[in-house]
Amino acid sequence: MTGSAAPSDPVGLVLEPRECSLGDGFFVRRVLPAGERHAVGPFLFLDHFGPTALPPGVGMDVRPHPHINLATVTYLYEGEIDHRDSLGSLQTIRAGDINWMTAGRGIVHSERTPASARARGATIHGLQLWVGLPRAHEETAPAFHHHAGETLPVVRERGVAIRVLAGDAFGGRSPVQTLSRLVYLDVKLEAGASLELPAALGDRGVYVVDGDVSCAGRAFSAACMLVLVPDVPARLASERGARFVVVGGEPFPEPRHLWWNFASSSQARLEQAKRDWLLRRGQPDGPFPLVPGDESDFIPLPEPG
């Protein structure tokens, strides 16, 4: 269900997620892209997964799969994930950390529950976003960067805590290096607190993770995204307390095309990536080499249609 706003309302559109399967029995709530809105600034994709309780012996297993011309951003509220990629990276992501993987001209990665968490049982809850790259940087060399939670600045106001995951806002600057100007914030409001989002953040989307949020007299519950009207300040409040993320930034001058795990300003580049994954997957000197430590498995190219 979506809703459009009156002209004076700072909430221009409300997006509700759809359930999507990642395979192997793992489901997510997908907010972006949506039919009504393909992107918010440079953010092309937002998946919300969990909170899901995994019994002992069961884990999340997202098998090796490719990306091009984008950056993946993983942020957890609960649980752990082992990230491996074709650069040779092996990193356990924990709650509060942020993983920023720039696919550039091509990378392969997998995301699995660590063996220790799988053995004891665990809860997994978090977000994964994709950020488009400026056209001049789409074919940059792939890279991976991990930032532990304690390295990310937290700005505190009365009843408000703002963790700056990427970009700069409210006097805090994230150490995460990006290829375009953007902002990604994790915000907690105590009961009765409020926060004004400045218009200078560019395109702004507010995804409500938990609790209740109100804006201009309209109430919103968890698992929806408020797409705010450009250049209009918006005050967000919560009666009982809330947690939400803010994504923002200037949109690219040209559209981005998405297909499966690929994003690009060029439709022809997507077609090349399809052929490369189908015919050249795993070649050491190819665009999609194997993932060290996870070489024997992969997600096949989806059937057309």
Side-chain angles (χ1 to χ4, degrees):
M1 177 180 176
T2 61
S4 296
S8 60
D9 192 335
V11 180
L13 188 66
V14 180
L15 303 177
E16 295 189 2
R18 61 196 187 278
E19 187 175 75
C20 294
S21 172
L22 298 186
D24 301 321
F26 193 74
F27 291 86
V28 300
R29 293 181 291 282
R30 182 156 298 163
V31 186
L32 290 174
E36 301 82 355
R37 185 76 181 222
H38 293 169
V40 174
F43 291 87
L44 310 176
F45 178 97
L46 190 155
D47 270 1
H48 180 195
F49 50 91
T52 300
L54 303 171
V58 176
M60 183 188 82
D61 287 293
V62 181
R63 294 170 289 159
H65 57 281
H67 292 286
I68 63 162
N69 292 186
L70 56 83
T72 68
V73 187
T74 304
Y75 184 67
L76 297 181
Y77 298 112
E78 294 181 82
E80 299 175 319
I81 295 175
D82 273 350
H83 163 99
R84 295 179 186 265
D85 64 42
S86 50
L87 299 175
S89 310
L90 169 56
Q91 178 66 56
T92 300
I93 316 167
R94 296 181 173 88
D97 300 346
I98 191 164
N99 258 28
W100 195 284
M101 184 185 76
T102 301
R105 59 178 175 258
I107 200 168
V108 184
H109 75 137
S110 65
E111 299 151 297
R112 299 184 186 268
T113 300
S116 58
R118 190 183 301 259
R120 67 176 181 266
T123 297
I124 188 74
H125 183 204
L127 302 172
Q128 186 170 96
L129 292 84
W130 297 354
V131 178
L133 304 181
R135 178 180 278 179
H137 296 289
E138 284 186 311
E139 297 295 324
T140 192
F144 172 78
H145 298 284
H146 175 82
H147 298 270
E150 59 267 23
T151 69
L152 304 172
V154 178
V155 181
R156 299 187 187 278
E157 302 180 2
R158 186 173 180 180
V160 182
I162 306 162
R163 173 171 283 184
V164 184
L165 305 181
D168 60 272
F170 298 99
R173 179 182 293 273
S174 168
V176 175
Q177 298 296 308
T178 66
L179 293 172
S180 63
R181 191 167 181 269
L182 54 82
V183 68
Y184 182 20
L185 310 174
D186 174 18
V187 180
K188 291 181 181 179
L189 295 186
E190 295 179 5
S194 65
L195 175 70
E196 182 161 313
L197 292 181
L201 296 180
D203 259 8
R204 297 159 298 164
V206 177
Y207 179 71
V208 184
V209 176
D210 190 33
D212 66 280
V213 169
S214 62
C215 184
R218 299 171 66 190
F220 305 94
S221 56
C224 71
M225 174 177 274
L226 320 182
V227 182
L228 302 180
V229 177
D231 303 319
V232 176
R235 180 165 291 277
L236 305 171
S238 179
E239 181 178 346
R240 297 180 298 277
R243 189 167 195 175
F244 56 85
V245 294
V246 178
V247 296
E250 294 302 322
F252 296 123
E254 63 284 316
R256 290 298 181 273
H257 308 283
L258 272 71
W259 188 87
W260 191 41
N261 296 312
F262 306 135
S264 180
S265 62
S266 165
Q267 186 67 49
R269 182 67 178 91
L270 297 187
E271 296 302 319
Q272 178 188 334
K274 293 180 192 180
R275 293 191 297 270
D276 287 341
W277 186 244
L278 185 65
L279 301 174
R280 302 179 64 198
R281 187 198 71 82
Q283 295 183 8
D285 58 348
F288 296 129
L290 295 175
V291 174
D294 206 346
E295 299 97 339
S296 62
D297 206 357
F298 67 98
I299 300 177
L301 192 76
E303 294 291 334

Tab-separated table of all heavy atoms in Angstrom, residues 44-66:
chain	number	residue	atom	x	y	z
A	44	LEU	N	19.628	2.679	-4.245
A	44	LEU	CA	18.841	1.964	-5.243
A	44	LEU	C	18.041	0.806	-4.669
A	44	LEU	O	17.140	0.290	-5.338
A	44	LEU	CB	19.766	1.389	-6.325
A	44	LEU	CG	20.792	2.329	-6.960
A	44	LEU	CD1	21.669	1.547	-7.931
A	44	LEU	CD2	20.105	3.491	-7.658
A	45	PHE	N	18.360	0.391	-3.431
A	45	PHE	CA	17.867	-0.903	-2.952
A	45	PHE	C	17.909	-0.878	-1.433
A	45	PHE	O	18.856	-0.375	-0.824
A	45	PHE	CB	18.808	-1.972	-3.513
A	45	PHE	CG	18.549	-3.399	-3.124
A	45	PHE	CD1	17.842	-4.248	-3.954
A	45	PHE	CD2	19.060	-3.920	-1.943
A	45	PHE	CE1	17.646	-5.581	-3.618
A	45	PHE	CE2	18.870	-5.244	-1.593
A	45	PHE	CZ	18.153	-6.077	-2.440
A	46	LEU	N	16.851	-1.412	-0.810
A	46	LEU	CA	16.840	-1.566	0.641
A	46	LEU	C	16.083	-2.833	0.987
A	46	LEU	O	14.905	-2.961	0.660
A	46	LEU	CB	16.204	-0.357	1.332
A	46	LEU	CG	16.350	-0.292	2.864
A	46	LEU	CD1	16.256	1.153	3.359
A	46	LEU	CD2	15.296	-1.135	3.599
A	47	ASP	N	16.765	-3.756	1.652
A	47	ASP	CA	16.173	-4.975	2.199
A	47	ASP	C	16.242	-4.923	3.717
A	47	ASP	O	17.288	-4.578	4.281
A	47	ASP	CB	16.939	-6.228	1.732
A	47	ASP	CG	16.409	-6.813	0.433
A	47	ASP	OD1	15.457	-6.252	-0.136
A	47	ASP	OD2	16.980	-7.829	-0.018
A	48	HIS	N	15.151	-5.297	4.372
A	48	HIS	CA	15.097	-5.413	5.831
A	48	HIS	C	14.869	-6.880	6.155
A	48	HIS	O	13.867	-7.461	5.731
A	48	HIS	CB	13.941	-4.545	6.360
A	48	HIS	CG	13.786	-4.590	7.848
A	48	HIS	ND1	12.637	-4.142	8.469
A	48	HIS	CD2	14.608	-5.010	8.851
A	48	HIS	CE1	12.763	-4.288	9.784
A	48	HIS	NE2	13.951	-4.818	10.034
A	49	PHE	N	15.801	-7.495	6.892
A	49	PHE	CA	15.657	-8.915	7.220
A	49	PHE	C	15.598	-9.090	8.729
A	49	PHE	O	16.285	-8.414	9.483
A	49	PHE	CB	16.786	-9.757	6.606
A	49	PHE	CG	18.176	-9.247	6.854
A	49	PHE	CD1	18.911	-9.667	7.951
A	49	PHE	CD2	18.757	-8.347	5.981
A	49	PHE	CE1	20.196	-9.209	8.173
A	49	PHE	CE2	20.048	-7.871	6.196
A	49	PHE	CZ	20.768	-8.304	7.295
A	50	GLY	N	14.724	-9.979	9.167
A	50	GLY	CA	14.562	-10.271	10.583
A	50	GLY	C	13.666	-9.259	11.291
A	50	GLY	O	13.028	-8.412	10.650
A	51	PRO	N	13.665	-9.332	12.650
A	51	PRO	CA	14.437	-10.292	13.449
A	51	PRO	C	13.935	-11.725	13.268
A	51	PRO	O	12.741	-11.986	13.367
A	51	PRO	CB	14.244	-9.811	14.887
A	51	PRO	CG	13.015	-8.978	14.863
A	51	PRO	CD	12.888	-8.411	13.497
A	52	THR	N	14.867	-12.620	12.974
A	52	THR	CA	14.574	-14.029	12.740
A	52	THR	C	15.407	-14.870	13.694
A	52	THR	O	16.633	-14.722	13.754
A	52	THR	CB	14.913	-14.424	11.288
A	52	THR	OG1	14.139	-13.624	10.395
A	52	THR	CG2	14.626	-15.893	11.040
A	53	ALA	N	14.736	-15.736	14.445
A	53	ALA	CA	15.434	-16.651	15.350
A	53	ALA	C	15.836	-17.891	14.583
A	53	ALA	O	14.998	-18.561	13.962
A	53	ALA	CB	14.534	-17.024	16.520
A	54	LEU	N	17.127	-18.197	14.588
A	54	LEU	CA	17.660	-19.367	13.903
A	54	LEU	C	17.962	-20.438	14.949
A	54	LEU	O	18.792	-20.212	15.835
A	54	LEU	CB	18.936	-18.998	13.151
A	54	LEU	CG	18.807	-17.868	12.118
A	54	LEU	CD1	20.181	-17.459	11.607
A	54	LEU	CD2	17.900	-18.285	10.975
A	55	PRO	N	17.326	-21.591	14.874
A	55	PRO	CA	17.588	-22.630	15.880
A	55	PRO	C	18.984	-23.208	15.713
A	55	PRO	O	19.628	-23.039	14.664
A	55	PRO	CB	16.514	-23.678	15.573
A	55	PRO	CG	16.146	-23.463	14.148
A	55	PRO	CD	16.306	-21.999	13.892
A	56	PRO	N	19.510	-23.878	16.738
A	56	PRO	CA	20.832	-24.488	16.633
A	56	PRO	C	20.943	-25.383	15.399
A	56	PRO	O	20.033	-26.159	15.092
A	56	PRO	CB	20.946	-25.302	17.927
A	56	PRO	CG	20.081	-24.565	18.899
A	56	PRO	CD	18.915	-24.063	18.083
A	57	GLY	N	22.047	-25.240	14.693
A	57	GLY	CA	22.280	-26.024	13.484
A	57	GLY	C	21.768	-25.379	12.208
A	57	GLY	O	22.029	-25.880	11.114
A	58	VAL	N	21.049	-24.268	12.335
A	58	VAL	CA	20.475	-23.588	11.163
A	58	VAL	C	21.110	-22.206	11.047
A	58	VAL	O	21.323	-21.522	12.052
A	58	VAL	CB	18.944	-23.462	11.289
A	58	VAL	CG1	18.363	-22.667	10.119
A	58	VAL	CG2	18.309	-24.840	11.363
A	59	GLY	N	21.408	-21.797	9.833
A	59	GLY	CA	22.002	-20.482	9.631
A	59	GLY	C	21.490	-19.824	8.376
A	59	GLY	O	20.793	-20.443	7.563
A	60	MET	N	21.832	-18.570	8.201
A	60	MET	CA	21.586	-17.852	6.953
A	60	MET	C	22.716	-18.188	5.992
A	60	MET	O	23.893	-18.139	6.355
A	60	MET	CB	21.567	-16.343	7.215
A	60	MET	CG	21.248	-15.519	5.985
A	60	MET	SD	21.463	-13.739	6.260
A	60	MET	CE	23.237	-13.602	6.028
A	61	ASP	N	22.356	-18.560	4.773
A	61	ASP	CA	23.363	-18.912	3.772
A	61	ASP	C	23.016	-18.245	2.451
A	61	ASP	O	22.208	-18.762	1.671
A	61	ASP	CB	23.439	-20.427	3.586
A	61	ASP	CG	24.099	-21.124	4.759
A	61	ASP	OD1	25.303	-20.915	4.961
A	61	ASP	OD2	23.388	-21.855	5.482
A	62	VAL	N	23.603	-17.084	2.215
A	62	VAL	CA	23.481	-16.423	0.915
A	62	VAL	C	24.736	-16.791	0.141
A	62	VAL	O	25.834	-16.295	0.418
A	62	VAL	CB	23.326	-14.904	1.064
A	62	VAL	CG1	23.169	-14.254	-0.308
A	62	VAL	CG2	22.122	-14.566	1.947
A	63	ARG	N	24.574	-17.704	-0.816
A	63	ARG	CA	25.711	-18.288	-1.525
A	63	ARG	C	26.425	-17.251	-2.396
A	63	ARG	O	25.883	-16.171	-2.666
A	63	ARG	CB	25.217	-19.457	-2.380
A	63	ARG	CG	24.681	-20.621	-1.560
A	63	ARG	CD	23.985	-21.636	-2.456
A	63	ARG	NE	22.712	-21.122	-2.984
A	63	ARG	CZ	22.114	-21.592	-4.070
A	63	ARG	NH1	22.679	-22.555	-4.775
A	63	ARG	NH2	20.959	-21.090	-4.464
A	64	PRO	N	27.648	-17.534	-2.851
A	64	PRO	CA	28.379	-16.571	-3.678
A	64	PRO	C	27.560	-16.090	-4.868
A	64	PRO	O	26.938	-16.887	-5.586
A	64	PRO	CB	29.613	-17.376	-4.122
A	64	PRO	CG	29.859	-18.320	-2.990
A	64	PRO	CD	28.486	-18.723	-2.529
A	65	HIS	N	27.566	-14.773	-5.055
A	65	HIS	CA	26.805	-14.146	-6.138
A	65	HIS	C	27.531	-12.860	-6.537
A	65	HIS	O	28.296	-12.301	-5.758
A	65	HIS	CB	25.366	-13.854	-5.705
A	65	HIS	CG	25.271	-12.988	-4.495
A	65	HIS	ND1	25.456	-13.473	-3.215
A	65	HIS	CD2	25.031	-11.649	-4.357
A	65	HIS	CE1	25.322	-12.487	-2.345
A	65	HIS	NE2	25.073	-11.375	-3.000
A	66	PRO	N	27.292	-12.367	-7.753
A	66	PRO	CA	28.072	-11.239	-8.277
A	66	PRO	C	27.343	-9.897	-8.144
A	66	PRO	O	26.126	-9.833	-7.989
A	66	PRO	CB	28.196	-11.602	-9.755
A	66	PRO	CG	26.864	-12.258	-10.065
A	66	PRO	CD	26.459	-12.999	-8.801
